[in-house]
Amino acid sequence: MDLNTITEVVRRPADLPGADWREGDAWLAGGTWLYSVEQPHLDRLIDLTSLRWEPLVPSDTGLAIGATCTVRDLHAFEPPGEWTAGHLLATSCEAFLSSFKVWNSATVGGNICMSLPAGPMITLTVALEATYELWATDGSVRTVDAHDFVTGDNRNVLAPGEILRRIDIPARALRKRTAHRRFSLTRLGRSTVFLVGTRTPGTSDLLLTVTAGTTRPVRLAFDTMPDADALRRAVDAIPDGVWFADPNGTPEHRRHLTQHFAEEIRRELTAGGPA
């Protein structure tokens, strides 16, 4: 879509781009949502891709993902063999409802900052206990837990002009056992629910992440593997107002699916004992 209110595109922003920010601006990376609807409140775009942030930096401490890393590049990344949870990177990318153009242009950071319930990059990073590095317009930097970033449907903790710079996934989370379940109304449709369970090797803990069916990510943490009744009670304790409603499912439908898939994940991660 043509954005006919835009009068300028900043192609070479400062290394700390918040210094260029003013009211009426928008950050431009993949632009897949930005160009999909009218943006009458905007008059200037600041192109972040020219800063050439490193897309993927694996290390002994984990994986750093630049906010402008494309979904295509994340999907193509081959994680080290000891990262047993590394398959979730590709799995989450494949949960996108996207065309060829979106697949090649959409960015990890853009999907997170849109903060929609079905955002698969949110599912991935919350499930793997990531942190986000945020840059403010005054040059200050803060780090937030991925779980705390999204506060509701299309809502998050970003202040005006603040930018997501990097996602850091710790190696300890990438070494966990995982199980996931996803449901959509069609084979390539938007997620109705997307659940990921992780278990630390050598323990009987469980971290269950519930997304897509809720307006914000929900984590259910257990020091030891719960039985079926305890897990069901934990899901039932998710407040009614947190369950999401749209044409892909009612809150009741999503709660039912979550109960069903949570138990499947519990059984899968219980099987075989500590790994």
Side-chain angles (χ1 to χ4, degrees):
M1 174 174 288
D2 293 334
L3 303 182
N4 57 19
T5 60
I6 301 300
T7 59
E8 181 184 1
V9 178
V10 179
R11 294 293 186 185
R12 297 184 181 276
D15 289 340
L16 295 175
D20 296 318
W21 180 267
R22 70 188 189 198
E23 188 175 354
D25 285 351
W27 302 116
L28 173 62
T32 54
W33 175 80
L34 193 63
Y35 286 109
S36 69
V37 295
E38 294 181 356
Q39 308 286 352
H41 61 293
L42 300 179
D43 55 37
R44 194 171 70 147
L45 304 178
I46 303 176
D47 185 2
L48 298 176
T49 60
S50 63
L51 296 174
R52 299 191 181 280
W53 292 336
E54 195 70 28
L56 295 157
V57 182
S59 68
D60 291 341
T61 60
L63 179 64
I65 306 173
T68 53
C69 175
T70 64
V71 174
R72 176 196 60 199
D73 287 345
L74 181 62
H75 186 266
F77 175 70
E78 295 186 9
E82 64 269 21
W83 288 0
T84 52
H87 67 95
L88 283 176
L89 302 175
T91 296
S92 299
C93 291
E94 291 162 5
F96 267 93
L97 173 59
S98 63
S99 65
F100 172 82
K101 291 173 66 176
V102 170
W103 180 266
N104 285 273
S105 300
T107 62
V108 175
N111 186 251
I112 291 169
C113 291
M114 276 300 296
S115 301
L116 299 176
M121 298 296 95
I122 299 168
T123 307
L124 170 70
T125 55
V126 173
L128 294 184
E129 303 167 63
T131 58
Y132 301 159
E133 182 179 279
L134 309 181
W135 288 3
T137 55
D138 63 3
S140 61
V141 177
R142 64 174 174 141
T143 300
V144 301
D145 190 308
H147 175 253
D148 300 325
F149 181 80
V150 176
T151 57
D153 180 17
N154 199 213
R155 301 202 311 271
N156 57 50
V157 301
L158 286 173
E162 196 170 25
I163 190 170
L164 171 59
R165 166 61 184 88
R166 191 178 69 240
I167 301 99
D168 292 300
I169 302 176
R172 59 174 176 77
L174 287 160
R175 295 191 184 102
K176 288 187 172 187
R177 290 179 57 194
T178 70
H180 72 277
R181 297 291 189 276
R182 175 177 172 266
F183 178 88
S184 65
L185 294 180
T186 59
R187 187 173 69 87
L188 299 176
R190 184 184 298 271
S191 299
T192 300
V193 296
F194 193 173
L195 283 72
V196 178
T198 64
R199 181 177 177 181
T200 306
T203 77
S204 62
D205 67 354
L206 173 66
L207 182 65
L208 180 68
T209 299
V210 179
T211 62
T214 51
T215 57
R216 56 173 173 78
V218 175
R219 274 183 185 157
L220 304 177
F222 304 87
D223 293 332
T224 58
M225 189 64 68
D227 61 21
D229 287 341
L231 183 58
R232 175 171 289 276
R233 289 194 299 271
V235 173
D236 280 340
I238 297 174
D240 290 343
V242 174
W243 294 100
F244 187 50
D246 74 353
N248 294 287
T250 64
E252 294 76 16
H253 177 56
R254 287 175 149 115
R255 185 192 294 270
H256 170 74
L257 290 172
T258 298
Q259 292 282 16
H260 175 75
F261 289 135
E263 174 58 15
E264 287 192 350
I265 288 172
R266 186 191 72 84
R267 291 181 181 179
E268 182 174 333
L269 290 177
T270 300

